[in-house]
Amino acid sequence: MTEWSTNKIRIHDIMRGTSADGPGLRTSIYCAGCFHHCQGCHNPQTWDPLSGYEITLGELYQIIRDEELNVTLTGGDPMYNPEKFALLASKIKEMTDLNIWCYTGFTFEELIKSPSRMALVALCDVIVDGPFILEQKKSSLLFRGSCNQRLIDVRRTLSTGIITLYTPDNILNLE
Ligand code: SF4
């Protein structure tokens, strides 16, 4: 075990082969801890950062390798623990061609103010940003719950400096 892999992180669940958190079948990691406390949140059991159970990054990485599916980081909010998720995401990007989606209650504009959060953003392919707003809930939205949330194409956004949305037109690049 190398140093990064022995880091422990608290998670609630690992969903293998889910189609709910991005395109195709994916391995979704549900982390512990979220302070956004959105009204109508589907996962309030993940709000407590001490809830769930501990697992090492090495164990998580091995599960992802075994599944050979693209990855979604969700919760909870992975952006409350960006350093450890960045270690995991960095290893995924170094060793595989899997893509990474990340759900967060922060807006992209808030994320760019934090170097540690931006380090994780830069390792992701798509960021689904913003809190869930019950008044803007819409069941027909693609991979998100309320109209304020955006599917942001990270590579295009960082290369142009303009927030660029993931759309069906570029879905093939992001699956
Ligand atoms: S950001 Fe997500 S996990 Fe956190 S309270 Fe809002 S909907 Fe729930």
Side-chain angles (χ1 to χ4, degrees):
M1 297 275 269
T2 54
E3 194 177 328
W4 75 271
S5 66
T6 57
N7 273 271
K8 289 183 177 175
I9 196 165
R10 292 195 80 87
I11 64 166
H12 265 266
D13 208 356
I14 303 166
M15 295 289 284
R16 303 171 189 234
T18 180
S19 58
D21 301 322
L25 298 180
R26 313 182 69 83
T27 303
S28 285
I29 312 293
Y30 289 80
C31 71
C34 185
F35 298 95
H36 298 291
H37 293 189
C38 307
Q39 188 185 2
C41 169
H42 278 210
N43 297 315
Q45 70 278 11
T46 67
W47 291 358
D48 183 350
L50 298 178
S51 61
Y53 62 94
E54 276 193 329
I55 187 169
T56 67
L57 295 182
E59 289 168 325
L60 267 183
Y61 176 69
Q62 193 55 53
I63 290 168
I64 289 163
R65 289 305 300 255
D66 291 346
E67 293 299 317
E68 296 182 339
L69 296 172
N70 292 319
V71 177
T72 297
L73 308 176
T74 185
D77 189 338
M79 290 296 174
Y80 282 116
N81 199 355
E83 292 87 356
K84 288 190 180 176
F85 277 110
L87 284 174
L88 177 66
S90 176
K91 199 66 182 175
I92 294 168
K93 286 299 181 187
E94 179 189 343
M95 301 299 292
T96 79
D97 59 0
L98 300 176
N99 74 47
I100 303 174
W101 282 42
C102 179
Y103 284 75
T104 175
F106 293 100
T107 63
F108 201 86
E109 290 81 354
E110 291 170 327
L111 293 173
I112 61 177
K113 295 174 184 167
S114 162
S116 61
R117 289 175 178 146
M118 274 311 287
L120 176 55
V121 168
L123 291 162
C124 295
D125 296 277
V126 171
I127 295 288
V128 186
D129 84 328
F132 172 70
I133 299 178
L134 192 56
E135 294 75 20
Q136 296 188 42
K137 178 181 177 181
K138 196 172 176 184
S139 57
S140 60
L141 294 169
L142 185 66
F143 305 130
R144 62 206 194 280
S146 59
C147 294
N148 62 296
Q149 295 170 314
R150 300 171 294 186
L151 310 178
I152 295 175
D153 179 332
V154 172
R155 268 169 290 169
R156 290 186 182 196
T157 294
L158 295 184
S159 65
T160 62
I162 299 167
I163 290 180
T164 306
L165 300 183
Y166 162 100
T167 68
D169 292 339
N170 61 21
I171 194 168
L172 290 176
N173 295 327
L174 298 167
E175 277 184 338

